[in-house]
Amino acid sequence: MTEQLFAEMLNLGDKWEVSKLEVLAEQSCIEVTIKDTAKLLEGMECPCCKRTDLIIKDHANERLWDHLQMWTYKTVLKCRLPRALCKSCKKTWTIRAPWEGVNKHSSKDFEALALTLMRHMPVSKVGKLMKVDDQKLWRILRVYIDKERAKLDWSELTRIGVDELSIAKGHRYVSVFVDMENHSVLFAADGKDAQVFEQFTEELYLKDGHPHAITEVSMDMSPSYKSGVDSNMRNARKVFDYFHIAQNLNKAIGKVCSRERRTKGDIRNLLKKPRLFQKNRDKLKEKDQQTIEKLKELNTATAMAYQMRLSLQDIFKTKSEIKALLGLKAWISWVHNEVEKEMWKYFLNPLKKFAESLTKHFDGIIARWRHGTSNAVLEGINSVFSAVKRRARGFRSKEYLKMMLYFTKGNLTGIPNLIPSK
Ligand SMILES: [Zn+2]
């Protein structure tokens, strides 16, 4: 009676039945033994000759599958899978367990729940919750990701973005390639030098894409990425996005501020929060606004640099290419003019260097207006990556981080998810 109830709950149908139930109290485990019924071979044909003249030859060794927990009990399915023999062609084969997932030791339901939970919490926690080794969960995830990624088709891919992300502080990097159309993560390559483009190109061929079909690459202004594009994607225009430009600008302003702080003892107090000058006007607290007003009255280089930052930001907001082009040129000469002034020469020099880099990469910066490229894509990938790092916590491995990136942003729709978001 109980066996029948379990068979129904497991949705076994009429080809399989539960033959035994055992509760191992000490291990908090329920073992459910399943066996095949007389109806197993009904409607089945030989995979070789397609005839239906089959018999059960014998049964393979017992195997175990992790299944969903029951109350606080871990549930394990046990079965000796039958081996069929085709009387016509003599082929023998082991009949597949219908409950089996992609992993030979877990059920489909188990995997679906594990994968759903892994979207919402660190893998180590899922392991604890589901009473399994988290290495097993990573292995399951790996199989799904490989299977789903093999189906990807990049034959229409033309616009990509690439960004370097640090794994551990300052040392190890992955370069993440993104589809600028649907914002999904395409590929994560090891390192941040030009050869990441070769790794990506290999993957591109595997997925029916072609490096010469790529017409646009959004990226930062690093020389290694530039040479990577030049030697692999000859038809691609390099687009330098505002997200990275703003990062460089903020660094330059930080230097202006620290130069002034070091040398002007009387206003050191006003300059003790360099991050303040990296914030947008509307994000400033009233006290911070007053600080900036004071710095302005005192004719400081930091206040001037902040003004320049806001002005550049406005230029990047404009929709018109011609306005942006004129605005940028005017902005660059403004910076050069101010730097010429004796009182600011030393302090504003980091901004002068920044302005020079804009001049050097001018075409690639203006290109974003021509292509309507959004800044938000690479910025979004950056924030996803931070979240992914938290999710893969406890695992320093680059491979796990890559897997998590594909899992969360890889547009892999075939991975089970019991609570899909819309
Ligand atoms: Zn056969």
Side-chain angles (χ1 to χ4, degrees):
M1 177 61 206
T2 324
E3 280 82 354
Q4 204 178 337
L5 177 68
F6 268 71
E8 271 169 41
M9 290 195 299
L10 286 165
N11 211 3
L12 290 182
D14 59 1
K15 297 190 170 192
W16 305 85
E17 64 188 11
V18 172
S19 62
K20 197 169 139 196
L21 281 170
E22 247 180 311
V23 178
L24 311 175
E26 268 176 41
Q27 288 119 298
S28 300
C29 180
I30 302 173
E31 287 188 349
V32 182
T33 307
I34 299 171
K35 73 179 187 58
D36 48 299
T37 68
K39 293 188 173 171
L40 181 71
L41 296 176
E42 276 178 18
M44 204 178 277
E45 57 180 36
C46 169
C48 226
C49 68
K50 307 289 174 205
R51 272 175 277 207
T52 53
D53 200 4
L54 314 175
I55 53 163
I56 299 292
K57 185 179 164 238
D58 56 9
H59 287 78
N61 290 337
E62 185 174 75
R63 277 181 40 201
L64 307 177
W65 294 262
D66 281 324
H67 188 57
L68 300 173
Q69 283 176 62
M70 206 165 188
W71 297 300
T72 57
Y73 283 69
K74 183 185 163 86
T75 308
V76 174
L77 309 180
K78 290 165 85 170
C79 183
R80 292 186 61 186
L81 290 173
R83 289 201 291 187
L85 166 71
C86 171
K87 281 165 115 182
S88 308
C89 74
K90 304 292 180 232
K91 179 179 170 64
T92 57
W93 68 98
T94 307
I95 290 175
R96 206 170 176 274
W99 55 85
E100 184 173 283
V102 296
N103 185 292
K104 281 191 166 174
H105 308 287
S106 48
S107 74
K108 280 178 191 158
D109 290 340
F110 176 91
E111 291 177 359
L113 180 64
L115 291 162
T116 303
L117 292 176
M118 281 156 83
R119 289 176 196 273
H120 301 279
M121 59 173 86
V123 177
S124 53
K125 282 200 177 154
V126 179
K128 277 197 188 115
L129 204 59
M130 297 186 75
K131 297 188 167 70
V132 285
D133 183 12
D134 45 12
Q135 296 293 334
K136 179 172 182 170
L137 298 176
W138 282 109
R139 279 198 297 275
I140 291 171
L141 182 58
R142 152 82 64 213
V143 178
Y144 274 102
I145 284 174
D146 289 350
K147 206 171 86 176
E148 288 300 309
R149 278 183 61 75
K151 293 184 203 159
L152 293 175
D153 173 11
W154 294 350
S155 56
E156 304 286 320
L157 189 65
T158 55
R159 298 172 63 230
I160 64 168
V162 60
D163 199 4
E164 59 174 58
L165 300 167
S166 82
I167 297 171
K169 268 208 165 75
H171 298 297
R172 293 183 303 154
Y173 289 89
V174 289
S175 292
V176 178
F177 290 81
V178 187
D179 182 339
M180 296 300 278
E181 303 283 351
N182 71 7
H183 303 185
S184 67
V185 167
L186 296 165
F187 183 64
D190 293 335
K192 56 167 183 167
D193 49 12
Q195 59 80 30
V196 297
F197 279 82
E198 275 146 44
Q199 293 180 45
F200 177 69
T201 301
E202 271 175 39
E203 190 80 2
L204 197 53
Y205 283 123
L206 286 178
K207 298 189 168 24
D208 285 338
H210 200 285
H212 295 166
I214 304 296
T215 55
E216 178 194 313
V217 184
S218 289
M219 56 189 208
D220 63 20
M221 296 182 277
S222 83
S224 51
Y225 280 177
K226 279 165 73 183
S227 84
V229 173
D230 289 340
S231 48
N232 289 283
M233 296 161 183
R234 63 177 182 206
N235 299 324
R237 181 190 284 270
K238 298 181 276 286
V239 179
F240 304 115
D241 61 300
Y242 183 65
F243 171 63
H244 287 110
I245 293 170
Q247 276 184 339
N248 292 343
L249 177 61
N250 281 340
K251 271 184 217 159
I253 290 176
K255 282 183 194 159
V256 174
C257 175
S258 87
R259 283 179 182 206
E260 244 179 356
R261 193 176 59 231
R262 276 202 313 267
T263 52
K264 295 182 179 172
D266 50 331
I267 55 164
R268 192 167 288 159
N269 260 345
L270 295 172
L271 296 168
K272 65 185 176 196
K273 285 200 286 181
R275 291 190 71 86
L276 190 91
F277 311 105
Q278 302 176 355
K279 284 185 185 165
N280 293 346
R281 221 172 333 206
D282 52 341
K283 293 267 167 62
L284 291 176
K285 289 178 197 146
E286 210 181 310
K287 214 178 111 210
D288 296 336
Q289 270 173 6
Q290 287 165 358
T291 306
I292 286 177
E293 281 311 311
K294 257 184 237 162
L295 288 169
K296 226 189 265 177
E297 282 164 26
L298 294 165
N299 245 344
T300 59
T302 304
M304 175 53 93
Y306 186 66
Q307 279 311 112
M308 289 171 167
R309 179 188 182 277
L310 297 180
S311 150
L312 187 67
Q313 210 172 13
D314 284 342
I315 295 169
F316 271 86
K317 273 185 203 147
T318 172
K319 297 246 185 316
S320 132
E321 183 186 339
I322 187 76
K323 272 189 194 160
L325 186 135
L326 296 173
L328 266 179
K329 291 210 158 153
W331 189 87
I332 291 169
S333 39
W334 178 28
V335 173
H336 285 297
N337 284 337
E338 298 298 339
V339 172
E340 285 310 308
K341 294 179 183 163
E342 202 49 52
M343 62 192 228
W344 283 341
K345 206 166 214 160
Y346 166 69
F347 299 110
L348 284 184
N349 199 49
L351 269 188
K352 182 186 165 193
K353 286 198 174 147
F354 171 77
E356 281 166 357
S357 82
L358 293 189
T359 306
K360 194 174 160 207
H361 301 100
F362 204 79
D363 285 347
I365 293 167
I366 285 297
R368 71 179 282 277
W369 277 276
R370 214 161 297 156
H371 295 255
T373 296
S374 153
N375 299 316
V377 183
L378 293 180
E379 200 170 354
I381 291 301
N382 263 269
S383 66
V384 166
F385 192 70
S386 313
V388 158
K389 278 208 273 194
R390 282 196 298 279
R391 191 93 48 85
R393 200 166 38 199
F395 293 95
R396 289 283 172 89
S397 158
K398 205 163 22 182
E399 293 313 308
Y400 286 140
L401 281 172
K402 285 186 189 173
M403 266 159 72
M404 269 296 160
L405 264 182
Y406 294 143
F407 184 39
T408 50
K409 286 297 280 184
N411 203 19
L412 306 177
T413 47
I415 298 184
N417 185 4
L418 300 175
I419 32 175
S421 52
K422 281 162 272 163

